[in-house]
């Protein structure tokens, strides 16, 4: 049992609210794929997916084992594996996960596997590179891919998709519009080779916000579900899903001249009241937040983190806060707290959420 008192609460109410916010921006028939990779952006993928299973059409994970975990948690919804590996194709099929096929090597290997298992028309998703240069077939591959697929009864294209490189960045609008146009050409060419019509999708969260005209049949929403849009205004429309809480383990008075923590990094220039909190860099709290750079919230007031962040603990200055040992504290409670941590540690909200280590207990509320 994990009775470590630091806990990451995930708000069902906020997840549902955020999902509805995006549904309202889309056509009624546009399908929603909820991205729950990386433990549901650091939350709890199984619990989040279980909660959303009847509210969305699809889930996506990055790797096969993440999809297997969802199946073990009794999630029946279709699951797209964004970055499957050939060595996992057996497990992918056994768990009815749907692979992204992104090059000829994965295409041929998957068909060979499906044939070996005497499977017909296994759903696959073709990913095209339209400018991100990460995973995906190029447009020039189409005749070759389609010849292989049309000659096989073992697979069937369930969707065609691409991923935008800078959908959040208005300075890259022309680049993004080119990616979308490129994707449209790809869809047309693929459709020309087959009698059926696979779904098409290319928008992530900020794609939905900035390019709703390119929603096609489905959109893939990750960070937006967890409360972040691509700017302050959009984020303010969403609700925060991740709340990281802890308690005060101990309170000390550091007398003038005393120091606090490793390397004696904090020196008290006056008598200072400090609280020790059981969360540290091993829990995902960056050492960059030490030495007064970061804060936590106690009784709705900011308590600066003083000295160095330890592996399992931090010390905070509570000189001006009325509080006691055992009182609750928030490492972050609002999107603003998370964005402040992101900017202080020179990263983005995605990384702050996914960094919260598995030592921290998760609780859906
Ligand atoms: C992670 C991911 C998404 C979700 O992106 P957000 O910006 O979090 O909405 C969508 N599509 C692909 C291919 C991804 O890897």
């Amino acid at each position: 049992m994990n009775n470590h008192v630091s806990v990451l609460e995930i708000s069902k109410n906020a997840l549902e609210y955020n999902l509805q916010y995006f549904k309202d921006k889309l056509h009624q028939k546009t399908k929603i794929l909820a991205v729950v990779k990386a433990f549901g952006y650091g939350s709890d993928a199984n619990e989040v997916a279980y909660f959303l299973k009847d509210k969305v059409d699809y889930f996506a994970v990055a790797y096969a084992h993440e999809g297997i975990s969802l199946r073990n948690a009794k999630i029946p919804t279709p699951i797209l594996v964004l970055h499957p590996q050939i060595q996992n194709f057996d497990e992918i099929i056994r768990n009815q996960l749907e692979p992204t096929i992104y090059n000829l090597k994965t295409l041929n290997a998957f068909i060979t596997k499906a044939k070996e298992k005497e499977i017909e028309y296994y759903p696959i998703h073709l990913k095209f590179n339209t400018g991100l240069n990460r995973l995906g077939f190029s447009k020039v591959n189409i005749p070759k891919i389609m010849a292989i697929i049309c000659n096989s009864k073992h697979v069937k294209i369930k969707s065609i998709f691409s991923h935008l490189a800078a959908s959040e960045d208005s300075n890259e609008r022309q680049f993004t519009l080119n990616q979308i146009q490129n994707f449209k050409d790809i869809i047309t060419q693929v459709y020309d080779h087959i009698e059926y019509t696979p779904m098409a999708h290319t928008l992530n969260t900020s794609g939905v916000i900035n390019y709703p005209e390119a929603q096609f049949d489905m959109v893939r929403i990750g960070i937006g579900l967890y409360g972040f849009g691509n700017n302050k205004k959009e984020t303010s429309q969403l609700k925060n899903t991740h709340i990281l809480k802890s308690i005060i383990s101990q309170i000390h008075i550091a007398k003038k001249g005393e120091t606090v923590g490793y390397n004696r990094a904090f020196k008290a220039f006056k008598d200072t009241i400090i609280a020790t909190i059981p969360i540290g860099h091993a829990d995902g709290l960056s050492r960059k937040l030490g030495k007064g750079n970061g804060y936590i919230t106690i009784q709705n007031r900011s308590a600066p983190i003083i000295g160095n962040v330890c592996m399992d603990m931090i010390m905070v200055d509570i000189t001006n806060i009325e509080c006691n040992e055992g009182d609750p504290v928030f490492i972050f409670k609002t999107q603003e707290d998370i964005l402040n941590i992101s900017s202080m540690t020179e990263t983005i909200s995605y990384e702050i959420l996914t960094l919260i280590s598995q030592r921290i207990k998760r609780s859906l509320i």
Side-chain angles (χ1 to χ4, degrees):
M1 202 163 76
N2 182 353
N3 275 333
H4 188 96
V5 292
S6 295
V7 56
L8 178 67
E9 288 185 351
I10 299 119
S11 163
K12 286 188 198 178
N13 173 38
L15 283 167
E16 192 165 8
Y17 181 93
N18 297 338
L19 177 62
Q20 192 57 45
Y21 177 79
F22 289 100
K23 282 187 176 172
D24 289 344
K25 282 184 178 286
L26 297 162
H27 302 142
Q28 217 175 346
K29 63 169 193 356
T30 304
K31 292 188 160 62
I32 307 249
L33 175 153
V35 182
V36 295
K37 62 192 179 192
F39 303 105
Y41 289 52
S43 64
D44 181 329
N46 293 350
E47 291 286 333
V48 166
Y50 197 82
F51 175 64
L52 294 178
K53 69 183 169 30
D54 302 315
K55 303 177 177 69
V56 301
D57 302 282
Y58 252 90
F59 288 113
V61 293
Y63 297 108
H65 67 91
E66 297 177 308
I68 294 167
S69 167
L70 294 184
R71 287 290 182 244
N72 291 340
K74 306 262 180 302
I75 310 293
T77 316
I79 299 170
L80 168 60
V81 181
L82 294 165
H83 193 174
Q85 274 107 6
I86 291 173
Q87 52 274 35
N88 295 321
F89 282 171
D90 271 312
E91 284 291 331
I92 283 178
I93 293 173
R94 190 172 312 134
N95 288 279
Q96 288 190 30
L97 304 173
E98 302 180 9
T100 294
I101 300 295
Y102 53 88
N103 60 7
L104 287 167
K105 194 176 158 100
T106 50
L107 176 62
N108 288 322
F110 196 81
I111 290 177
T112 304
K113 186 60 76 183
K115 189 173 174 184
E116 194 182 292
K117 294 180 181 289
E118 297 177 12
I119 292 170
E120 290 193 355
Y121 305 116
Y122 197 93
I124 61 170
H125 300 259
L126 298 184
K127 183 162 196 187
F128 285 88
N129 174 24
T130 53
L132 180 62
N133 286 320
R134 194 171 68 176
L135 289 183
F137 288 106
S138 94
K139 200 173 3 182
V140 299
N141 295 135
I142 294 176
K144 201 163 182 183
I145 311 164
M146 296 312 291
I148 296 171
I149 293 173
C150 293
N151 270 321
S152 166
K153 60 177 189 327
H154 302 292
V155 295
K156 180 169 180 174
I157 308 168
K158 183 93 173 269
S159 86
I160 313 166
F161 75 107
S162 189
H163 195 35
L164 300 175
S167 59
E168 73 288 352
D169 187 351
S170 56
N171 294 319
E172 297 292 357
R173 189 165 178 86
Q174 198 48 52
F175 180 88
T176 304
L177 291 172
N178 284 341
Q179 270 197 283
I180 292 168
Q181 186 52 50
N182 208 345
F183 182 54
K184 283 185 185 161
D185 296 344
I186 290 165
I187 299 168
T188 312
Q189 286 187 40
V190 170
Y191 285 178
D192 274 350
H193 287 84
I194 45 179
E195 315 265 84
Y196 57 100
T197 318
M199 292 188 291
H201 47 105
T202 196
L203 300 184
N204 65 334
T205 298
S206 44
V208 173
I209 294 167
N210 292 330
Y211 305 91
E213 66 281 7
Q215 61 193 268
F216 300 99
D217 305 302
M218 185 159 81
V219 297
R220 306 186 301 270
I221 301 181
I223 197 77
L225 269 180
Y226 309 101
F228 292 87
N230 50 339
N231 57 40
K232 276 217 163 81
K233 186 166 157 275
E234 283 295 330
T235 297
S236 73
Q237 309 282 314
L238 298 166
K239 289 193 176 172
N240 190 35
T241 53
H242 288 50
I243 295 164
L244 187 52
K245 285 166 83 166
S246 192
I247 61 155
I248 297 175
S249 294
Q250 192 173 13
I251 292 176
H252 294 282
I253 298 175
K255 286 263 193 278
K256 182 178 174 187
E258 288 186 347
T259 63
V260 176
Y262 286 130
N263 313 107
R264 308 185 65 200
F266 175 82
K267 291 193 174 58
F269 290 108
K270 58 179 176 60
D271 289 1
T272 305
I273 308 175
I274 58 165
T276 303
I277 315 296
I279 190 163
H281 62 74
D283 300 295
L285 211 65
S286 171
R287 280 186 90 252
K288 289 180 184 156
L289 295 170
K291 299 184 178 170
N293 294 319
Y295 63 87
I296 68 170
T297 304
I298 306 176
Q299 308 282 16
N300 286 319
R301 305 192 54 181
S302 292
I305 300 172
I306 58 171
N308 283 318
V309 171
C310 312
M311 185 182 291
D312 315 303
M313 281 169 261
I314 50 173
M315 278 70 89
V316 299
D317 185 342
I318 53 162
T319 307
N320 299 314
I321 304 174
E322 199 62 46
C323 57
N324 298 300
E325 290 176 351
D327 281 0
V329 305
F330 292 94
I331 313 305
F332 51 72
K333 188 178 185 181
T334 63
Q335 289 117 314
E336 197 188 345
D337 292 337
I338 295 168
L339 291 172
N340 281 338
I341 294 174
S342 314
S343 67
M344 285 178 296
T345 57
E346 298 174 321
T347 183
I348 55 176
S349 56
Y350 295 73
E351 189 177 356
I352 300 305
L353 301 185
T354 55
L355 268 176
I356 306 162
S357 86
Q358 291 300 306
R359 185 165 75 176
I360 301 279
K361 181 181 163 176
R362 268 69 173 167
S363 170
L364 230 67
I365 51 161

